[in-house]
Amino acid sequence: MNILTFDIEEWALEAGRNGGMRQDKIAEYDRLLDQLLEVLSSRELHATCFCTGMMATTYPQILHHLAKEGHEIACHSNVHTWCNKMSREQMKEDTHAAVDALEQCIGEKVKGYRAPAFSITEKNPYAFEILAQNGIEFDSSIFPASRDFGGFPSFGYEVPTRVQYNGIEIKEYPIPLLHLGKWKTAYSGGGYFRLFPYSLIRRIMNKSDYAMTYFHINDLITEPKKLMTREAYEAYFKEPGTLINRYKRFIKSNIGTGDAMAKLTRLLKQNDFINITQADKNINWDKAPVKKL
C-alpha cells in the first residue's frame, strides 16, 4: 500500500517571506504543479494534499485546482509554524484558523492533518486533542525516530496506528523508516527522497506493506537554493543562525535537486499509489496497534 501525499505551502511561504514579489518563483511553482498534475491525471492517481491555511487565503485557486482534479485537501497548519515551537494555546488558535480557512475555501470538511516538519513529538502529545477538537480524523505527523527538529523515537510503530490521548482517538499514519543498523532514516520524501537512489526507494516500496510519501514542490526545483541570511534563518527556524547551522540547511536543501522531478515522475509512472482516504478503506483498524499517550 503506497500512499501519495504532498505538502503544499510554497506559494504562501513566498508571499509571507518576500511579499509575493518574486513572480519568477511563483511561476516556477505553477509550472511544476501543472507538470505533476498532468502525470497524476495520466495515471489516474489521487493524492492527499496537506495545505496551509494561508494557501486558502492567499492562493485559493491552487486549492480549487487540486480539488477539481480529485485530490484530497487536508491541513498543514495555518502559517507553517512548527507545533513544537507553539504553546498549547497558540496551536489551538493556529489549527482552528487553518481548518476554518481550508473548509471555507473548498466547501468540504477537512479530515486530515500533518504538522510542519513532523513537529508533534513526545513533548506535545496534547496536539492530538487539539486536532480532534477541530474535527480531524487522521494525522500523518509522526516521524518515529530522532531528527534535527524533533521526531518521536518512542512512538514505536511505523504502520497505521490508533493514537489515544485524554479520551480521544485519531488514526495515525506515521512515516516509515529505512533501518540501517542502529541508524533509522526516512526515504520517501523531502531530502531523503532526493538523496537515495531511485532503485533503492522503489525496492523498499515493493517489499513494504505500507509506504507513506511526503513530497514538496520546492524539492523539485533544479535551481540551487541560496545560503540563507542569519536574519531569514532565525525568523523561520527559531534557532541561532550560525554559519554552521545555515550551511547544514544549505546542503540539505540542495542535495539531489538536479533530478528530483525526473525521479518522482518515474516513481509515479512505475508504481501504484492511493490517497489516505482510499487507504483508510483498506485497513482493518480493529487489528491496528494502539498507542496510548
Side-chain angles (χ1 to χ4, degrees):
M1 180 171 61
N2 297 327
I3 303 176
L4 182 63
T5 76
F6 293 90
D7 293 355
I8 306 294
E9 69 225 21
E10 285 84 357
W11 291 259
L13 290 179
E14 179 65 26
R17 293 175 187 167
N18 302 295
M21 300 301 292
R22 298 193 302 179
Q23 290 302 308
D24 57 330
K25 187 66 69 174
I26 298 297
E28 182 72 352
Y29 296 151
D30 289 341
R31 183 188 67 80
L32 287 168
L33 180 61
D34 287 343
Q35 188 175 340
L36 272 175
L37 291 178
E38 184 177 343
V39 174
L40 295 175
S41 178
S42 70
R43 294 275 290 116
E44 297 184 353
L45 301 176
H46 296 104
T48 297
C49 297
F50 292 96
C51 306
T52 63
M54 284 294 289
M55 283 294 300
T57 55
T58 58
Y59 288 90
Q61 69 273 20
I62 300 296
L63 273 64
H64 293 155
H65 192 185
L66 292 169
K68 184 178 179 180
E69 291 291 317
H71 302 292
E72 178 177 30
I73 303 298
C75 182
H76 194 41
S77 82
N78 194 37
V79 295
H80 208 260
T81 301
W82 300 346
C83 297
N84 56 359
K85 301 289 186 181
M86 294 187 283
S87 68
R88 185 173 187 146
E89 285 303 313
Q90 287 172 328
M91 185 180 173
K92 279 185 179 181
E93 294 175 5
D94 182 273
T95 306
H96 177 76
V99 171
D100 182 62
L102 292 169
E103 290 183 342
Q104 289 198 42
C105 180
I106 64 173
E108 296 180 6
K109 175 178 169 53
V110 170
K111 300 184 296 181
Y113 184 90
R114 173 175 288 153
F118 304 107
S119 51
I120 295 180
T121 72
E122 295 156 336
K123 296 181 179 180
N124 58 350
Y126 56 79
F128 288 106
E129 186 174 20
I130 293 172
L131 298 184
Q133 290 168 350
N134 284 276
I136 297 299
E137 299 174 11
F138 69 80
D139 176 71
S140 183
S141 300
I142 298 299
F143 190 99
S146 298
R147 65 193 309 265
D148 283 352
F149 304 113
F152 204 136
S154 67
F155 189 77
Y157 300 107
E158 298 176 31
V159 295
T161 302
R162 294 161 54 195
V163 170
Q164 297 177 348
Y165 176 81
N166 202 20
I168 63 93
E169 181 172 293
I170 284 183
K171 298 171 181 176
E172 176 62 35
Y173 291 83
I175 300 303
L177 303 175
L178 170 62
H179 293 243
L180 299 171
K182 294 183 178 180
W183 185 46
K184 299 178 182 179
T185 180
Y187 63 88
S188 57
Y192 303 101
F193 176 77
R194 292 185 276 109
L195 173 63
F196 291 120
Y198 175 82
S199 58
L200 174 62
I201 293 169
R202 191 177 185 212
R203 185 164 66 250
I204 296 170
M205 286 188 172
N206 287 340
K207 290 182 177 180
S208 302
D209 294 327
Y210 166 75
M212 169 62 72
T213 63
Y214 60 100
F215 300 114
H216 299 75
I217 299 298
N218 201 44
D219 286 325
L220 308 176
I221 294 179
T222 56
E223 177 185 350
K225 299 172 181 64
K226 297 179 180 179
L227 181 69
M228 296 179 75
T229 65
R230 177 186 289 270
E231 293 76 13
Y233 183 96
E234 292 180 347
Y236 184 68
F237 292 107
K238 303 294 189 295
E239 65 178 21
T242 64
L243 189 60
I244 292 177
N245 283 346
R246 286 184 287 139
Y247 261 108
K248 284 172 62 178
R249 177 54 45 183
F250 172 77
I251 293 170
K252 289 181 178 180
S253 297
N254 285 290
I255 287 176
T257 53
D259 67 343
M261 185 63 186
K263 183 189 291 187
L264 177 54
T265 299
R266 187 180 177 190
L267 188 72
L268 295 174
K269 288 183 176 181
Q270 295 184 347
N271 298 269
D272 291 326
F273 289 91
I274 55 178
N275 65 23
I276 293 182
T277 292
Q278 291 170 322
D280 184 73
K281 298 174 182 178
N282 297 329
I283 297 171
N284 184 344
W285 286 101
D286 290 335
K287 295 184 177 181
V290 175
K291 178 67 176 182
K292 295 182 180 181
L293 300 177

